[in-house]
Structures are given as C-alpha cells and as structure tokens.
Amino acid sequence: DTAVSQTPKYLVTQMGNDKSIKCEQNLGHDTMYWYKQDSKKFLKIMFSYNNKELIINETVPNRFSPKSPDKAHLNLHINSLELGDSAVYFCASSQGEDASYEQYFGPGTRLTVT
Amino acid sequence: GQNIDQPTEMTATEGAIVQINCTYQTSGFNGLFWYQQHAGEAPTFLSYNVLDGLEEKGRFSSFLSRSKGYSYLLLKELQMKDSASYLCAFDSGGYNKLIFGAGTRLAVHP
C-alpha cells in the first residue's frame, strides 16, 4: 500500500515552462508538506497545509503555488521555470501539525530544468 | 538565527558502533528528529527527542541535551544496509516546521 505518492517521478522541462507535481496520501493525515532538496542535499521546507489551510509559507518565489483540493492531496504548480529550480521535490504528510508527529515522505520528484 | 551542523561524511566497519553528532542553534525549539535517507530514496523517520536524555529503539539510540544544543545518533552492530545519509532536524517552534541539517553520509565497510 502506497502511503504518500507523487507524480511524476521524473520531470525534464525547459526554462520558462509551467509544470505541476501532484501528491496524494492515503494515511488519513491532516497535515501535508512540500520540501525541496537541492544538489547539496539540503532539505528545505517550502509549504505546509493543515486541513487544506496554508500554515507554513517559507520564503519561496511566488512562481511556486501550492493547492490543496482536499486534505489527502497537495499539488505544487511552478510557473516560468528557472535553472535553479532543478532539484528533488518531496511531499510529506503527518497526522497533525504538532511537533511530536513524524513526517512520512513521498518518493520524490526529480525536476530537471534545461 | 537558526543553524544546524553535522559532519559531512563518516565511515565505519560492519559490526561496529558509530556516533553521529548534531549541534543546533535556535530561539524556538519543539524537538529534535533524526531521519535516514538512502541514496535516491525518501527520508524515513528514525527518532524524536523533546526531553533531555537517551531514547533507545533497537540498534539505534538518540540523545538530546537542550541546554547544550546537542544531539547524537548512535548506531550499534552496524550492517551494510545502514550505509545512508542521516539527517538531523529540529522543530523550530511551531506547526511541525522542521529545519534540516545537510546530512551525514555514512559508509559502512565490510
């Protein structure tokens, strides 16, 4: 049973294009996250939603727009892609927004911008 | 500001014990996490410490000293499959917002 799934797994696109990454969790969790892991392997929080409400919005270019249609889904849309957007994007979920809840990560989406 | 440091790389021998250290600085703190990440895979949860002391879970143990801003992950009876990156992270004080270190890449040799 897949707990947190992301599509696509790989995404290769050209600068200036717009793309979306989808995330779904079947754990019944209330909180979902988007992280970016760059080539130096730093994992950085981008956004977090709790019950479809945005609760964490880090300093991310406004070309990145998350959308949560329901609490099981959190999608990430990126406009006007740039070379520096190349990274692995991980979706994650947790039971709630309390610090004691572990986060479950999806398999990641490797985005390459050429 | 917020800062978190851990060694970049470590090597160890199969069957041995290794300790991976992590130091952090933050004004808000709600707990310290350790995650394991194999190459090309997603991070997976290992441990969570919010109070000072040692938490043991099988071959893995994690220690926290809040006053010193210090944690370590102890791996015993190392196996080849333990070769991975180990990510230290703290919750900066709200909404399960984790600040991750760059990770320590551990290589276990026969």
Side-chain angles (χ1 to χ4, degrees), chain A residues 43-54:
Chain A
L43 196 59
K44 290 185 180 175
I45 181 77
M46 299 173 69
F47 304 102
S48 172
Y49 273 73
N50 188 61
N51 277 319
K52 302 194 299 175
E53 183 183 340
L54 181 66

Side-chain angles (χ1 to χ4, degrees), chain B residues 29-50:
Chain B
F29 181 83
N30 270 358
L32 194 291
F33 292 80
W34 285 95
Y35 279 79
Q36 181 190 60
Q37 186 177 24
H38 285 98
E41 297 184 11
T44 54
F45 171 82
L46 287 178
S47 68
Y48 169 67
N49 294 66
V50 66

Side-chain angles (χ1 to χ4, degrees), chain A residues 4-109:
Chain A
V4 182
S5 59
Q6 294 178 229
T7 53
K9 190 164 174 62
Y10 299 97
L11 186 53
V12 181
T13 188
Q14 292 184 327
M15 284 174 52
N17 285 346
D18 303 338
K19 290 293 178 185
S20 291
I21 307 172
K22 295 187 176 182
C23 177
E24 177 180 1
Q25 54 95 4
N26 62 6
L27 297 167
H29 287 169
D30 287 341
T31 310
M32 296 185 72
Y33 312 80
W34 276 110
Y35 286 88
K36 178 182 181 181
Q37 190 169 42
D38 60 24
S39 57
K40 294 185 179 178
K41 304 302 180 188
F42 266 106
L43 196 59
K44 290 185 180 175
I45 181 77
M46 299 173 69
F47 304 102
S48 172
Y49 273 73
N50 188 61
N51 277 319
K52 302 194 299 175
E53 183 183 340
L54 181 66
I55 55 172
I56 296 175
N57 187 355
E58 285 299 280
T59 310
V60 175
N62 58 14
R63 299 181 294 103
F64 290 78
S65 54
K67 277 209 174 87
S68 182
D70 55 61
K71 74 174 194 178
H73 295 84
L74 180 61
N75 304 322
L76 183 66
H77 188 75
I78 316 170
N79 287 327
S80 304
L81 277 156
E82 301 177 357
L83 292 176
D85 298 332
S86 295
V88 180
Y89 292 84
F90 285 101
C91 176
S93 72
S94 64
Q95 189 174 337
E97 61 189 34
D98 188 81
S100 62
Y101 293 122
E102 66 181 89
Q103 295 183 24
Y104 293 77
F105 284 79
T109 296

Side-chain angles (χ1 to χ4, degrees), chain B residues 11-68:
Chain B
T11 59
T13 305
E14 197 175 12
I17 299 173
V18 71
Q19 177 174 312
I20 303 174
N21 296 324
C22 172
T23 57
Y24 64 89
Q25 288 180 317
T26 178
S27 54
F29 181 83
N30 270 358
L32 194 291
F33 292 80
W34 285 95
Y35 279 79
Q36 181 190 60
Q37 186 177 24
H38 285 98
E41 297 184 11
T44 54
F45 171 82
L46 287 178
S47 68
Y48 169 67
N49 294 66
V50 66
L51 300 176
D52 286 0
L54 188 68
E55 296 275 346
E56 297 186 75
K57 195 188 290 186
R59 296 189 297 114
F60 293 2
S61 303
S62 56
F63 172 83
L64 176 65
S65 168
R66 294 178 66 143
S67 62
K68 295 182 179 176

